[in-house]
Amino acid sequence: MSANEEVLAPVPAWWTDAVVYQIYPRSFADSNADGIGDLGGIRARLDHLEQLGVDVVWLSPIYTSPQADNGYDISDYQGIDPLFGTLEEFDLLLAEMHGRGIKLVMDLVVNHTSDEHAWFVEASSGKDSPKRDWYVWRDGIDRGEGQPTEPNLWRSAFSGPAWSHAPADGTDEYYLHLFAAKQPDLNWENPEVRHAVYDMMNWWLDRGVDGFRMDVINHIAKIQDDLTGDSPGFRMGPQIHDYLHEMNLSVFAGRDAELITVGEMPGVTVDDARLFTGVDRLELDMVFQFEHVGLDHGPASKFDNVPLDLRDLKRSLSRWQTGLADQGWNSLYLGNHDQPRSLSRFGDDGEATDGRLRYESATLLATILHLHRGTPYVYQGDEIGMTNAGFTRIDQYQDIETLNWFAEERALGRDEAELLEALRFRSRDNARTPVQWSAGSQAGFTEGTPWLEVNPNHDVINVESDRALGSRSIFEFYRRLIALRHESPLVALGEFALLEPDDPTLYAFTRSGDSGRLLVAGNFSGSDIEAPILVEGPWSAGSRLLGNYEGDAPAAVLRPWEVRVILA
Ligand code: TEU
Ligand code: CA
């Protein structure tokens, strides 16, 4: 066999050692004092991202939008909303990011459009509109109420039925909206819709963007037989793999190696994810799964808050690690713009403890997440340990999901204080308060009045103060973690194995590969715990790669929220 016939091991994709940073533009930085973050604000803060060392930025939607769901309701896929800037400014931002070696991933929201999108305006002009079939229309059903009611019992994620009448179309038909009534679902069964979306995606890639984060992309395929039934078959229709494969061939082919694609998929299973992300299947690079962020939801709804058992979290994440070990790839996240702040949810955000262990628990969470196998996503503000909003009145909230849920539950007679308590933990606005840049007025986010209140704890928690803390800077710690993934093939690719699955406070696992073995051990509690593994076998003689305490502890004890990474 000659040299060039040798079988080479496949080169791992570039994103296996990359870290992604999510920007929620509205809340990142405001450059023109209207209280809303914008592209100018991002451009002014690129040093922050470069110093952190992230490889990719995922930008939540900045397209033209009536902002019913903060931009997840798009009325023009090829325009920038004036709130955020202009297309020229976008091109500048992209060029500046590329100049600093940072890639840019766009949010792709194509399960639905805004009801103000030209496609829907046309489709809802009447039954004969050539675009009628671009959306999902059904007749109502006679349930003996004197007039037909909704085609089925599907509920909108934002409360109320998932079906509405279009006021302008002069018919009794309903259109489907799995989210707000202002977010009608596109009909992906129609090839014209699919190709219009692919054309738009190609337009952005030709402009230079580096990939897409695809909003609720497993919802584009509805189970057609169920459309008039009452079962929750609104996602993961059997056509889903065909659609994503077709998208891959129509959009990514030929430039796939430079891009990153991640599909947001509520309800996706490990087996599904193996199919979506198997390299040879040419669908997506990775998916956002939801299993671990549902473990603290009670039976009633996502606002039914129940305590998280660490054992469940470990079991869940490790099933995903094992399930995608030989095929596919994981994305890793603990928070985003839809979830509570990870520090308030999984750590000790200091509210009850005077902030004593905020540094320790923020850095522990980061270490545990980043040392799993997969591509980590850092949500803006997590790199300085931002916390939940702490709102106590309903008029402090802006989020459509929050407000609709509150109104609906109030109408059912539920106690206001109880609802506010639930929101204080779970509302999406907890993660959407402005990024805290300084202890100054409005946390340095805006010179005007912010669209959502700044957290009063910005006097203590902010980028400037954090970075001045030196060895106790959360930002510094993230920097080291991100650098570690870049340097260490073991961190990027090493095989994962969970240890001590039944321990309720110790989160321990190993990563193994040709260059050695890593032990990661973290204490998810505010008290000392025994961690005998630290002195067993090879680990007692191992070298400490990273940790969030200075100085030596008794070898087999982990102090409150302590994490240690040991190389053997
Ligand atoms: O989210 C989809 C989703 O399933 C949820 O996480 C959602 O936030 C909601 O809380 C369900 O209870 C995506 C976007 O990330 C979200 O911001 C949008 O509101 C939604 O799709 C609709 O586009
Ligand atoms: Ca602005």
Side-chain angles (χ1 to χ4, degrees):
M1 177 156 71
S2 76
N4 50 14
E5 281 172 339
E6 273 171 42
V7 182
L8 297 173
V11 180
W14 64 268
W15 33 256
T16 55
D17 71 5
V19 175
V20 184
Y21 184 93
Q22 182 191 354
I23 290 184
Y24 194 65
R26 194 174 247 284
S27 304
F28 190 68
D30 176 23
S31 68
N32 64 350
D34 68 352
I36 299 177
D38 46 45
L39 299 184
I42 300 173
R43 288 177 59 209
R45 296 290 181 181
L46 290 178
D47 282 349
H48 180 81
L49 304 175
E50 191 179 350
Q51 286 161 14
L52 189 56
V54 294
D55 307 273
V56 181
V57 164
W58 147 32
L59 208 52
S60 277
I62 51 168
Y63 312 96
T64 317
S65 161
Q67 304 289 323
D69 186 19
N70 291 356
Y72 283 91
D73 50 317
I74 297 168
S75 54
D76 178 1
Y77 288 115
Q78 281 156 258
I80 304 294
D81 197 285
L83 276 182
F84 299 121
T86 62
L87 207 46
E88 290 64 47
E89 202 169 8
F90 174 84
D91 289 339
L92 272 178
L93 172 67
L94 181 61
E96 287 171 4
M97 287 180 58
H98 284 169
R100 293 170 186 254
I102 300 173
K103 296 187 186 247
L104 180 61
V105 162
M106 299 295 274
D107 219 305
L108 180 82
V109 188
V110 291
N111 173 68
H112 44 267
T113 66
S114 165
D115 66 340
E116 297 181 37
H117 193 291
W119 298 344
F120 189 76
V121 172
E122 157 113 59
S124 58
S125 66
K127 255 188 177 156
D128 300 332
S129 158
K131 289 226 163 47
R132 186 70 171 177
D133 185 52
W134 283 41
Y135 293 84
V136 182
W137 303 88
R138 289 291 180 277
D139 287 323
I141 284 182
D142 188 352
R143 294 186 173 84
E145 290 173 28
Q147 57 181 29
T149 48
E150 288 80 15
N152 68 25
L153 300 183
W154 291 355
R155 309 257 313 153
S156 152
F158 300 153
S159 303
W163 299 94
S164 293
H165 290 298
D169 76 349
T171 79
D172 292 331
E173 287 189 338
Y174 288 85
Y175 69 89
L176 176 67
H177 56 87
L178 295 177
F179 295 87
K182 284 187 71 64
Q183 293 166 298
D185 280 50
L186 283 164
N187 176 19
W188 275 71
E189 294 274 296
N190 184 330
E192 283 174 26
V193 168
R194 302 203 300 272
H195 288 281
V197 169
Y198 306 153
D199 288 349
M200 175 271 284
M201 294 172 75
N202 275 312
W203 184 86
W204 281 106
L205 290 182
D206 293 345
R207 214 170 183 93
V209 309
D210 304 290
F212 298 98
R213 172 273 186 189
M214 305 177 184
D215 195 64
V216 288
I217 201 69
N218 60 336
H219 291 44
I220 59 176
K222 333 284 182 207
I223 299 175
Q224 291 293 314
D225 287 345
D226 277 358
L227 260 188
T228 50
D230 289 339
S231 69
F234 51 78
R235 61 188 182 207
M236 290 295 295
Q239 325 88 316
I240 186 65
H241 294 288
D242 292 342
Y243 294 163
L244 291 175
H245 185 61
E246 179 184 74
M247 175 192 284
N248 188 301
L249 298 183
S250 313
V251 182
F252 311 139
R255 45 186 167 192
D256 200 15
E258 277 76 55
L259 304 179
I260 175 170
T261 57
V262 50
E264 189 212 23
M265 298 198 176
V268 71
T269 65
V270 173
D271 287 341
D272 297 330
R274 286 173 62 86
L275 299 178
F276 286 124
T277 68
V279 173
D280 298 338
R281 296 177 48 86
L282 299 178
E283 295 185 28
L284 300 175
D285 293 333
M286 61 194 95
V287 303
F288 286 132
Q289 56 96 1
F290 278 64
E291 197 178 287
H292 65 301
V293 291
L295 297 172
D296 57 2
H297 294 182
S301 77
K302 68 177 273 190
F303 295 100
D304 180 6
N305 301 326
V306 299
L308 175 74
D309 186 329
L310 185 72
R311 288 168 292 201
D312 292 338
L313 182 67
K314 295 194 290 187
R315 260 182 231 124
S316 169
L317 289 178
S318 85
R319 275 185 50 251
W320 282 83
Q321 292 283 300
T322 326
L324 299 188
D326 64 331
Q327 175 177 332
W329 187 251
N330 274 291
S331 69
L332 307 171
Y333 74 97
L334 289 176
N336 57 42
H337 64 294
D338 293 331
Q339 301 289 334
R341 278 282 169 192
S342 58
L343 182 56
S344 299
R345 184 182 197 175
F346 302 109
D348 177 347
D349 67 3
E351 214 195 333
T353 51
D354 215 16
R356 245 176 347 103
L357 295 166
R358 199 172 58 84
Y359 167 80
E360 286 76 8
S361 69
T363 50
L364 168 137
L365 292 175
T367 307
I368 295 292
L369 187 77
H370 284 239
L371 291 190
H372 276 74
R373 186 170 187 268
T375 300
Y377 287 72
V378 178
Y379 180 61
Q380 67 182 29
D382 281 356
E383 75 278 25
I384 56 159
M386 280 180 62
T387 67
N388 275 355
F391 293 156
T392 54
R393 302 188 319 271
I394 193 64
D395 64 20
Q396 293 176 294
Y397 291 96
Q398 302 279 344
D399 169 34
I400 182 171
E401 179 186 54
T402 300
L403 298 177
N404 287 0
W405 179 77
F406 181 85
E408 190 174 69
E409 298 294 313
R410 283 295 283 153
L412 293 171
R414 279 186 69 190
D415 176 55
E416 175 167 0
E418 191 187 310
L419 299 176
L420 287 172
E421 189 56 31
L423 292 177
R424 201 178 150 92
F425 182 74
R426 186 73 66 191
S427 169
R428 304 196 296 182
D429 278 343
N430 282 305
R432 298 177 178 185
T433 61
V435 169
Q436 295 161 206
W437 296 101
S438 74
S441 163
Q442 306 296 2
F445 164 75
T446 180
E447 286 170 13
T449 307
W451 71 277
L452 187 68
E453 282 178 32
V454 164
N455 194 314
N457 67 19
H458 74 270
D459 58 346
V460 178
I461 304 175
N462 63 73
V463 173
E464 264 175 34
S465 312
D466 179 85
R467 298 205 56 183
L469 286 174
S471 66
R472 282 179 68 81
S473 157
I474 298 171
F475 184 94
E476 276 307 315
F477 195 97
Y478 266 87
R479 247 164 84 111
R480 273 186 285 155
L481 261 181
I482 293 166
L484 192 59
R485 174 166 289 261
H486 294 156
E487 291 154 12
S488 162
L490 208 45
V491 170
L493 299 167
E495 187 187 330
F496 175 97
L498 183 69
L499 305 174
E500 312 294 347
D502 299 323
D503 192 304
T505 43
L506 173 67
Y507 199 135
F509 56 90
T510 56
R511 301 289 308 281
S512 318
D514 294 341
S515 51
R517 278 179 86 194
L518 287 179
L519 170 69
V520 182
N523 172 5
F524 273 68
S525 86
S527 323
D528 287 358
I529 61 167
E530 300 286 330
I533 179 74
L534 289 165
V535 292
E536 282 165 15
W539 307 117
S540 58
S543 61
R544 194 175 114 138
L545 208 56
L546 195 66
N548 59 357
Y549 272 78
E550 280 177 47
D552 288 331
V557 171
L558 286 172
R559 290 161 284 184
W561 299 99
E562 179 170 7
V563 67
R564 273 183 241 167
V565 182
I566 296 171
L567 176 66

